[in-house]
């Protein structure tokens, strides 16, 4: 049961952790996130070190992304039809079994066998993520959404800073197989914590049975129509796609290309990435109380330092300068994420939220392979500074442009239309 909150409580992590249901979900995600840090190290050790196959490792990574991309829209529909904690717990059980299977297959198994198991992990994430991101409004009061998203972001960033080091040590000490078994155990613990969570949803206390292929496609289309009918949502989704095609891949491809000239340079790359993660942690904390006035304007403009950091890549290899630029870049992207997630959770009707979250995930990731390919092709024909400068300019223009669209500056703050319950499908009777 969500306990009453006061305006003075807004932004308090301690306050949101006093919500028993949210606290259980947060602990479950902290546990599984620690295990998740082990997974890529263990798989890389199994395929690259033990098997010596770079191609096989690429196939395994692609399998995870493919599983997520193929299933994420279906995952959004499922999140809107069934209890979200049950979906998350079920996926954690699946991942427990699959990762334990990967542990048993880690030694001596061909890469395609691991790829198949990792494909299932990716598919599970496609169901888990929309359910998790659309669950928070059922666990905390509306004025606490920024605090809850801020805490979740800060936790993920902290684990992202410390996790790789711990994961690498774990794989080195106990081996890939034992590390994967540890990862499987974290999913089992997460599932056990989620089983007892009680979620509340306004007007939708149960789940809607009878999902069929025809209705599945129809409900995916309903989600797309719901996004397009809200110009502020559609504009930001298109912005995310454009960023993934033009700018974000440039950072993640060119940063190692610029810094990793020898094995001794790994520290330089690590310093810049640590600065980026530290900035992201700071940005998530700074917006935990939300933003009064025009949260959409603040969220979009907060991203602009990332464009500057990308542009700087073409001008210098100075580690101090790049690390200094990476801090506000990471902070801005994290601040945007907290404010954007909170706006969707606050203004999108509960019965559509899972599908909107799945579209957001798709917009943020599906275009990435195109972006990586474009960066590679560009570097073959033009200087690095030209690629980074173009990416920075396009990022700036595409970030500012959505502010001209109705509702973007307020991030849907005109709550009237967005609080109504759509007549289609969402009005169907529900059973407990």
């Amino acid at each position: 049961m969500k306990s009453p909150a006061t305006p003075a409580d807004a932004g308090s992590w301690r306050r949101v952790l006093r919500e028993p249901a949210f606290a259980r979900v947060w602990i479950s995600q902290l546990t599984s996130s620690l295990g998740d840090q082990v997974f890529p190290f263990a798989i890389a050790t199994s395929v690259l070190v033990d098997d010596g196959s770079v191609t096989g490792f690429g196939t395994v990574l692609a399998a995870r992304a493919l599983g997520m991309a193929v299933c994420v829209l279906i995952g959004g529909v499922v999140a809107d039809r069934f209890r979200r904690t049950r979906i998350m717990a079920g996926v954690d059980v699946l991942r427990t079994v699959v990762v334990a299977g990967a542990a048993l297959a880690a030694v001596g198994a061909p890469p395609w066998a691991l790829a198949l198991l990792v494909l299932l992990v990716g598919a599970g994430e496609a169901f888990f993520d929309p359910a998790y991101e659309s669950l928070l409004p059922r666990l905390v009061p509306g004025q606490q959404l920024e605090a809850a998203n801020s805490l979740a972001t800060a936790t993920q960033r902290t684990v992202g800073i410390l996790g790789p080091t711990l994961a690498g040590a774990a794989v080195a000490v106990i081996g890939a197989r034992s590390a994967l078994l540890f990862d499987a155990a974290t999913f089992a613990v997460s599932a056990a914590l989620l089983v007892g969570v009680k979620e509340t949803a306004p007007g939708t206390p149960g789940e809607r049975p009878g999902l069929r292929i025809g209705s599945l496609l129809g409900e995916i289309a309903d989600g797309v129509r719901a996004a397009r009918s809200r110009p502020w949502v559609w504009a930001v989704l298109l912005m995310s796609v454009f960023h993934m095609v033009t700018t974000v891949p440039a950072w993640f491809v060119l940063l190692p290309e610029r810094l990793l000239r020898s094995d001794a340079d790994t520290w330089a790359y690590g310093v810049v990435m640590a600065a980026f993660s530290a900035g992201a942690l700071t940005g998530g904390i700074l917006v935990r109380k939300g933003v009064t006035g025009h949260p959409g304007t603040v969220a979009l403009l907060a991203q602009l330092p990332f464009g500057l950091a990308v542009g700087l890549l073409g001008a210098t290899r100075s580690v101090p300068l790049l690390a200094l630029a990476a801090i506000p870049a990471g902070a801005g992207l994290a601040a945007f994420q907290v404010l954007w997630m909170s706006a969707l959770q606050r203004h999108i009707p509960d019965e559509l939220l899972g599908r909107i979250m799945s579209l957001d995930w798709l917009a943020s990731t599906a275009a990435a392979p195109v972006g990586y390919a474009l960066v590679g092709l560009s570097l073959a024909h033009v200087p690095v500074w030209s690629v980074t400068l173009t990416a920075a300019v396009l990022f700036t223009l595409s970030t500012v442009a959505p502010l001209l669209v109705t509702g973007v500056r307020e991030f849907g703050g005109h709550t009237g239309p967005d609080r109504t319950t759509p007549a289609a499908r969402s009005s169907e009777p529900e059973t407990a």
Side-chain angles (χ1 to χ4, degrees), residues 137 226-227 230 232-233 342-357 418-420:
R230 294 164 171 80
W232 66 279
V233 174
S342 300
L344 293 178
Q345 292 161 354
R346 180 172 288 118
H347 298 299
I348 301 298
D350 182 80
E351 65 275 5
L352 290 168
L353 188 54
R355 280 166 283 182
I356 296 297
M357 290 299 186
D418 285 345
R419 289 296 188 184
T420 59

Side-chain angles (χ1 to χ4, degrees), residues 20-345:
F22 175 80
R24 288 179 69 101
V25 171
W26 178 74
I27 294 171
S28 78
Q29 294 316 292
L30 174 60
T31 304
S32 63
S33 293
L34 290 171
D36 273 342
Q37 296 298 318
V38 174
F39 187 79
F41 278 85
I43 293 296
T45 300
S46 298
V47 180
L48 288 177
V49 177
D50 296 341
D51 193 58
S53 173
V54 176
T55 302
F57 183 56
T59 301
V60 170
L61 293 181
R64 187 175 189 177
L66 178 63
M68 294 183 73
V70 169
C71 296
V72 70
L73 293 180
I74 302 172
V77 173
V78 172
D80 286 337
R81 272 187 166 265
F82 301 98
R83 289 189 181 275
R84 288 159 186 167
T85 48
R86 291 180 182 174
I87 297 169
M88 294 163 62
V91 170
D92 275 341
V93 171
L94 171 67
R95 292 193 289 195
T96 300
V97 174
V98 171
V99 174
L104 298 177
V107 178
W112 66 263
L114 284 177
L116 181 59
L117 292 171
V118 172
L119 176 72
L120 294 175
V121 171
E125 290 172 344
F127 285 87
F128 187 97
D129 290 349
Y132 173 61
E133 291 175 353
S134 56
L135 174 65
L136 292 188
R138 299 184 175 188
L139 304 180
V140 300
Q143 61 265 50
Q144 290 293 330
L145 284 172
E146 282 84 4
N149 282 300
S150 170
L151 179 57
T153 298
T155 302
Q156 291 170 355
R157 296 299 181 178
T158 302
V159 172
I161 295 171
L162 302 176
T165 301
L166 298 175
V171 172
V173 172
I174 65 177
R177 174 175 290 177
S178 297
L180 285 171
L181 289 174
F182 168 76
D183 190 15
T186 64
F187 285 129
V189 171
S190 177
L193 288 168
L194 290 170
V195 167
V197 174
K198 295 184 182 298
E199 58 184 282
T200 59
T204 56
E207 51 191 44
R208 291 180 289 151
L211 187 61
R212 299 182 300 275
I213 295 297
S215 62
L216 174 65
L217 296 177
E219 295 201 32
I220 290 174
D222 283 349
V224 175
R225 281 192 292 269
R228 294 186 64 182
S229 69
R230 294 164 171 80
W232 66 279
V233 174
W234 195 244
V236 175
L237 291 179
L238 292 179
M239 178 198 73
S240 296
V241 172
F242 194 77
H243 285 176
M244 292 306 301
V245 171
T246 61
T247 312
V248 175
W251 171 261
F252 289 105
V253 170
L254 290 175
L255 182 63
E257 190 275 336
R258 299 285 283 171
L259 296 183
L260 295 179
R261 294 295 175 176
S262 69
D263 291 341
D265 292 331
T266 54
W267 71 270
Y269 178 62
V271 165
V272 177
M273 290 305 297
F276 185 84
S277 296
L281 174 61
T282 304
I285 294 173
L286 288 176
V287 294
R288 68 188 185 280
K289 294 185 178 181
V291 174
T292 57
H294 299 284
T297 301
V298 173
L300 266 64
L301 295 183
Q303 299 179 98
L304 293 180
F306 180 75
L308 178 62
V310 172
L312 194 61
L313 270 177
T316 183
R317 287 194 177 96
S318 168
V319 174
L321 282 178
L322 291 174
L324 188 63
I327 294 173
L333 294 184
F336 166 80
Q337 184 68 12
V338 169
L339 295 174
W340 171 240
M341 286 289 104
S342 300
L344 293 178
Q345 292 161 354

